[in-house]
Amino acid sequence: MLFDFQVNKRMEEKRKTIGLRNKILNILIFFKDRFDLHEGKEDEIDTIEYIKKNVEFKGANLWILIFAIIVASVGLNVNSTAVIIGAMLISPLMGPIMGIGLAAGINDFDLLKKSLKNLGIAIMISILTSTVYFSFTPLADAQSELLARTEPSIWDVLIALFGGLAGIVAGSRKEKSNAIPGVAIATALMPPLCTAGYGLATGNFYYFFGAFYLFFINSVFISLSTYLIVRFMKFPKKEFMDRKRERTVRNYITIFTILTIVPSVYLAYNIVTRTLWEKNAKQFIKTELDFPRAQIIASTLIFDADSSGIEISVIGDRIEEEQIQLLQKKLIAFNLPKTHLKIKQSGDNGTDMNILRSDILKDLYERNEVLIQNKDQKIALLEREIAEYDQSTKQVMDIAKEAQINHRNLETFTINRAVIANLKDEKQDTLLLAFAKFKSKPNKDETKRLTDWLKIRTKADTIAVIIETGS
C-alpha cells in the first residue's frame, strides 16, 4: 500500500512537471508566432530586386535628390522643421545605403560596388548643390536646425541602428508600409549633407566635418542593420559558377564587413563615452561650481580620450587657488578622470579681457534671446491688433454711410465685437453688436430690414442691434 502511494505521488509530480513544461512551451510558441519575421514576408528575390531598383541614381532619381537637397537647405536656412521633414520624405538617399547592407549580406560584390558608387555620386551631388545654395542665399546665419546637425550623439547612433532595422523589415514585407519614409525622417540623412554644404560655403570646416561625420554614422549603422536582418532572415546568397571567384568575392565581402563593423563599434563607443562625460561634466558644474559671490558667465567642455578639460569664465569675487585645487580633486567623484578644471578670472595674469568681455556679452545675449523673441512676438501681435482696429474704424464709417442710404432717419451708428459673459455656463463668447440712433422710432419692418442687411454686409451669423430714438 505504501508502495502504491509512492508510485501515485511520483506519477502526480511527473504530470505536474509535464503540465508546466507544456505551459512554458505554449508561451514560447505564442511569442515565437508573434515575433516571427517570416510572417507576411515577401519572396526574398522580390525584396532583393526592390532594393536593387532603388540603388541607382540616374535620371529622375538624381533630379529628385537635387530638388530635395534644395528644399532641405531652404528649411535649414529659414529654420523650418516642416520643410526639412518634407525634404526628407522625398529624398531617395536610403536606396544605396540599404543596398550596401544587402550586398554584404548576400555576397553580391557587383551590387556592393554599384551601391558604393551611387552613394558616392549622391553625396557629391548633395554637398555640391547645398554649397551652391548657401553661397548665394542672403540668410547667412546658422539657425538651430542647422546647428543640431554639426555633432553626432549616442542618440543618433541608436536612431540609425533601430531605424535601419525597421526599414529593412518593412522593405521585406508583401505590403509596403510607411516605415521606410519614416526611417528617412528619423535618421535624417539629408540635413547633415546640407549642413556640410553650408560649412563649405561659409569656410567653417568644423561644421563640415561634424555634419559629414553624422551622415557617415547614420549610413554605417543603417547598412549594418540591413546586413544583420538579411543574414538573420537567411536571404539566398549569390552563387558563382567559378568556385575560385566565389571565394575571392566572399573574402572581399568579409573584409568590407569587418572594415565597416569594427570602426562603427569604435565610433559608437567613443560617442557613448563622450556623451556620458559631458553629462557628468554638466552635473559637476551645476553641483559644485555654485559660488556665493561669483557668477559663471561661460563654460566650455573639451572632450579627449586622454585629457579632457572643463573651462569656465567667472565674474565677481576671486576664487582662491586652494578652492580650485579642492574642486579639481572632486572631479573623480563625478567619474571625470583625466579631466582638468580651468577657471578664467578677471584678475588672472594673461587673461584676455576682450575674450572675457565677449563671453559676458555672449552669455547675456543667450539669456535674453528668448525674452527678446517674446517681446518681438508681443509687438507683432499689438501691431496686428492696431491694424485690425484701424481697419474696423474705417469700416464703421463705410457701413454707417451705406445704412443711411436705406434709412434716412439714421443719425448715429456704430458696430463692433463685444465680449459676452454667459453666467449660466461660466463661459465667454464674442458677439457682433450694432447701435443705431434714429430721429424718430423706426417700425418693426425697418428694424428687421436693418438687421438682415447688417448680417449680409458683415457676413455674421448673429448680430445684436440696439435701437434708440432722438428726444
Side-chain angles (χ1 to χ4, degrees), residues 311-322:
E311 293 185 2
I312 64 168
S313 300
V314 298
I315 56 173
D317 287 358
R318 183 173 179 77
I319 301 168
E320 299 300 330
E321 189 62 32
E322 293 79 7

Side-chain angles (χ1 to χ4, degrees), residues 157-177:
V157 172
L158 294 176
I159 290 168
L161 179 62
F162 290 101
L165 291 172
I168 183 60
V169 169
S172 66
R173 302 299 94 189
K174 289 179 181 177
E175 296 183 6
K176 307 301 181 189
S177 68

Side-chain angles (χ1 to χ4, degrees), residues 15 30 56 129 166-167 201 226 257 387:
R15 278 196 296 271
F30 171 80
E56 192 157 6
T129 303
T226 303
T257 304

Side-chain angles (χ1 to χ4, degrees), residues 66-80 83-84 87 125-150 190-204 207-208 211:
I66 292 172
F67 298 148
I69 283 290
I70 294 173
V71 172
S73 297
V74 172
L76 290 170
N77 204 191
V78 300
N79 213 39
S80 172
V83 173
I84 297 168
I125 294 293
S126 298
I127 294 178
L128 180 63
T129 303
S130 59
T131 302
V132 171
Y133 170 81
F134 284 112
S135 297
F136 291 98
T137 178
L139 305 175
D141 292 338
Q143 303 291 339
S144 59
E145 285 287 349
L146 191 144
L147 293 173
R149 271 83 185 189
T150 57
M190 185 167 289
L193 288 179
C194 296
T195 304
Y198 173 85
L200 283 182
T202 58
N204 191 325
Y207 285 177
F208 173 78

Side-chain angles (χ1 to χ4, degrees), residues 291-450:
F291 308 111
R293 299 179 63 84
Q295 183 181 359
I296 297 175
I297 57 169
S299 61
T300 305
L301 303 180
I302 305 167
F303 175 77
D304 188 274
D306 298 323
S307 178
S308 302
I310 299 174
E311 293 185 2
I312 64 168
S313 300
V314 298
I315 56 173
D317 287 358
R318 183 173 179 77
I319 301 168
E320 299 300 330
E321 189 62 32
E322 293 79 7
Q323 189 175 357
I324 295 174
Q325 293 297 327
L326 182 61
L327 290 170
Q328 177 70 44
K329 292 177 181 178
K330 288 185 178 181
L331 288 168
I332 302 298
F334 286 83
N335 197 21
L336 295 168
K338 301 179 181 178
T339 301
H340 177 71
L341 175 64
K342 184 177 180 181
I343 300 179
K344 296 179 181 178
Q345 304 181 77
S346 57
D348 290 346
N349 292 330
T351 299
D352 192 335
M353 292 303 298
N354 290 328
I355 295 175
L356 195 58
R357 192 178 296 109
S358 174
D359 290 340
I360 294 172
L361 292 173
K362 179 183 176 184
D363 182 68
L364 289 173
Y365 174 77
E366 290 175 350
R367 290 186 183 187
N368 291 304
E369 188 175 13
V370 175
L371 183 61
I372 292 168
Q373 288 175 354
N374 291 337
K375 286 184 177 179
D376 288 342
Q377 291 171 0
K378 288 177 182 177
I379 291 169
L381 178 62
L382 290 172
E383 287 176 343
R384 220 168 27 244
E385 289 180 352
I386 291 170
E388 290 174 359
Y389 176 76
D390 290 341
Q391 185 67 23
S392 65
T393 303
K394 293 176 183 176
Q395 286 180 345
V396 168
M397 183 58 71
D398 293 340
I399 294 172
K401 288 179 179 179
E402 291 174 20
Q404 195 178 33
I405 295 172
N406 298 318
H407 304 275
R408 294 296 180 182
N409 289 329
L410 186 64
E411 285 187 330
T412 307
F413 178 84
T414 186
I415 187 168
N416 210 334
R417 290 201 173 272
V419 178
I420 304 296
N422 187 330
L423 300 177
K424 182 180 177 181
D425 299 331
E426 294 186 353
K427 291 182 179 178
Q428 286 188 176
D429 202 355
T430 57
L431 178 68
L432 198 61
L433 188 64
F435 172 81
K437 184 178 179 181
F438 288 83
K439 293 178 183 177
S440 58
K441 185 177 180 180
N443 57 36
K444 289 184 179 179
D445 290 340
E446 187 173 7
T447 303
K448 184 177 184 302
R449 194 166 71 252
L450 176 63

Side-chain angles (χ1 to χ4, degrees), residues 177-228:
S177 68
N178 59 353
I180 292 179
V183 171
I185 294 172
T187 52
L189 292 165
M190 185 167 289
L193 288 179
C194 296
T195 304
Y198 173 85
L200 283 182
T202 58
N204 191 325
F205 290 100
Y206 175 80
Y207 285 177
F208 173 78
F209 288 112
F212 193 80
Y213 181 44
L214 175 57
F215 174 80
F216 176 73
I217 286 286
N218 287 341
S219 301
V220 165
F221 279 91
I222 291 171
S223 297
L224 178 60
S225 57
T226 303
Y227 167 81
L228 293 174

